[in-house]
Amino acid sequence: MAALRLPPRGGPALGTLLRPLCSWADGLFHSMAQPGTWDRFYTQQDTAGTPRHFNWFFDYTAISGLLLPTLQGCGPSEPNASPTRVLDVGCGTSDLGLGLYRDSPHPVHISCVDVSPVAIRSLHRLLQEVPPPRHPLSQLHLHVADATDLEGGGFGDGSFHLVLDKGTCDSLLRCPQGPGQAGRLVAECLRVLRPGGSLLQFSDEDPDARVPFLEQAGGAGVTVQEVGHIGGICYYVYTLCRLAPETPTNGALD
């Protein structure tokens, strides 16, 4: 299972880091926003004929202790409630969605979305190797869709309790098209959240850079938590919530 850290904005060339994994890595940085780039990338990852997980930053096990309690807290609280709905944007062949599907003691419906059909086909093959979910009502669905245009992929307003982004916003911010597409990604993630739902972005970017971007793209109320040091790198989780509508108090004017 491969894992890779993205360079900081304006930092070392991405090609230097990806060259052991991708023969055309030097050109990848300039085309990370183009869907065909990822088809080519994941095709090369699958040249041996046996798909494998590729994780940006770290794998599922590094953050499962944070995610599973979060998952329990963000879904419906009443007994026999409907499953918690989770969206993993830009999933690639990460083991994030599959791990949550397998391990959650509460029912979850997880949708993994990526713009690359090659990645989704590989992830579908990897899904066949996953043990049955811990909860019998849990489901996992794979979709080919653009995370910056989730409406075009058929995802309506208020569809999910939790949206996960591990490296997708980072990859957009580091390409020439940069903040524009990353801003659309954040807006779409917040649109598909139910009131009270949360967007979690995992990143190695320093809060001094990421928080102002997220406040501009998604509004105030960004919280930051240090995930920890993994491979000598400090990672963070940035949380944005879609506010629930205010309930009128007794005595409020009509």
Side-chain angles (χ1 to χ4, degrees):
M1 181 186 298
L4 183 73
R5 176 201 179 205
L6 286 166
R9 284 188 258 175
L14 182 62
T16 302
L17 300 177
L18 282 174
R19 197 169 291 117
L21 302 168
C22 176
S23 61
W24 49 282
D26 290 320
L28 180 59
F29 175 77
H30 297 288
S31 58
M32 293 176 79
Q34 299 175 13
T37 297
W38 299 110
D39 285 342
R40 189 177 176 188
F41 178 81
Y42 287 111
T43 296
Q44 187 159 342
Q45 293 300 300
D46 196 19
T47 51
T50 302
R52 60 174 181 157
H53 291 294
F54 181 87
N55 289 290
W56 296 104
F57 302 146
F58 43 74
D59 62 16
Y60 161 74
T61 60
I63 51 172
S64 59
L66 181 154
L67 280 177
L68 289 171
T70 300
L71 195 61
Q72 180 178 356
C74 72
S77 57
E78 60 272 16
N80 302 317
S82 58
T84 302
R85 292 178 54 84
V86 180
L87 177 66
D88 179 12
V89 294
C91 62
T93 57
S94 167
D95 64 349
L96 179 60
L98 276 63
L100 286 176
Y101 163 72
R102 179 192 64 215
D103 292 348
S104 175
H106 309 282
V108 290
H109 286 182
I110 299 176
S111 296
C112 296
V113 169
D114 200 275
V115 73
S116 168
V118 176
I120 293 298
R121 283 197 298 269
S122 294
L123 197 59
H124 185 270
R125 292 168 63 190
L126 288 164
L127 177 59
Q128 310 312 307
E129 304 172 5
V130 175
R134 184 172 173 185
H135 196 286
L137 296 181
S138 290
Q139 298 179 13
L140 187 142
H141 303 280
L142 308 179
H143 307 267
V144 177
D146 184 349
T148 66
D149 181 21
L150 292 169
E151 186 173 14
F155 296 98
D157 294 2
S159 300
F160 297 94
H161 299 96
L162 181 66
V163 177
L164 304 174
D165 173 357
K166 182 165 71 74
T168 302
C169 188
D170 293 84
S171 66
L172 292 175
L173 285 171
R174 287 160 170 82
C175 73
Q177 294 82 359
Q181 290 207 19
R184 287 193 291 275
L185 168 69
V186 173
E188 278 292 87
C189 289
L190 294 175
R191 180 185 65 79
V192 300
L193 278 174
R194 297 184 179 187
S198 299
L199 163 64
L200 271 60
Q201 281 195 356
F202 294 91
S203 176
D204 61 347
E205 186 166 54
D206 190 271
D208 288 343
R210 181 56 60 94
V211 170
F213 162 74
L214 289 176
E215 288 180 338
Q216 182 178 13
V222 181
T223 61
V224 186
Q225 179 181 346
E226 187 175 308
V227 174
H229 287 75
I230 304 171
I233 305 299
C234 185
Y235 292 97
Y236 305 91
V237 55
Y238 297 91
T239 303
L240 288 81
C241 294
R242 180 173 179 181
L243 298 179
E246 293 186 4
T247 302
T249 59
N250 292 335
L253 296 176
D254 293 334

